[in-house]
Amino acid sequence: MITVKDNHCALSSVYNACKDADDKDSLSLGDHNNTLTVDEVNGLDAYECVASTLPIPKATQAKIGAANGFSGTQTDSWDGFEATWPCNKNNVLDLVIQKDWPDSQDGHRPRFGGVLVCLGDSFALVTVDRP
């Protein structure tokens, strides 16, 4: 199991493991590899790879599958990750997975004056000196 505490580059690792299953360019990384987006239409190959590689808990997967036009935007979190998805209509999945940053006081990304950059399975903190 991959967790943020164990692997600061978890979402980058999942993206790299699943991009070959993604023949429709449904996966994307953003926010310096801290956000993984799954945007699929009429197929769930990339989502299924992400769900098993990360892994996404079965309870969260059930919530994602049960969303409908009346559900509105849904959110769930587990093991240092937070997932958000809108209603599931017309066989479209728009899933955003972010690091939850549980070690910060307010639950948001810690403000450490730099950017965490993933390089393969390792990471580097890049800081900017300000006058």
Side-chain angles (χ1 to χ4, degrees):
M1 175 182 289
I2 298 172
T3 67
V4 171
K5 291 179 182 177
D6 297 333
N7 184 349
H8 292 281
C9 299
L11 296 179
S12 177
S13 296
V14 170
Y15 173 81
N16 288 329
C18 295
K19 66 183 176 185
D20 290 337
D22 180 26
D23 60 348
K24 297 175 242 161
D25 294 326
S26 303
L27 295 176
S28 62
L29 276 173
D31 301 326
H32 303 286
N33 297 336
N34 293 310
T35 302
L36 176 66
T37 303
V38 182
D39 186 12
E40 290 196 288
V41 179
N42 296 322
L44 298 174
D45 295 338
Y47 166 74
E48 289 171 358
C49 181
V50 169
S52 64
T53 304
L54 192 49
I56 297 174
K58 296 293 184 191
T60 302
Q61 292 182 49
K63 292 174 187 177
I64 292 168
N68 60 47
F70 300 106
S71 300
T73 299
Q74 303 291 304
T75 302
D76 203 3
S77 59
W78 70 95
D79 296 328
F81 298 100
E82 180 178 85
T84 306
W85 63 95
C87 64
N88 185 1
K89 58 183 179 181
N90 300 325
N91 295 322
V92 175
L93 174 64
D94 294 315
L95 176 67
V96 177
I97 302 172
Q98 296 177 296
K99 292 182 182 176
D100 198 13
W101 300 104
D103 55 336
S104 65
Q105 291 179 354
D106 60 2
H108 293 93
R109 182 178 178 173
R111 294 176 184 91
F112 45 67
V115 175
L116 191 63
V117 178
C118 294
L119 307 165
D121 288 334
S122 61
F123 65 94
L125 178 62
V126 178
T127 60
V128 177
D129 292 329
R130 295 184 184 182

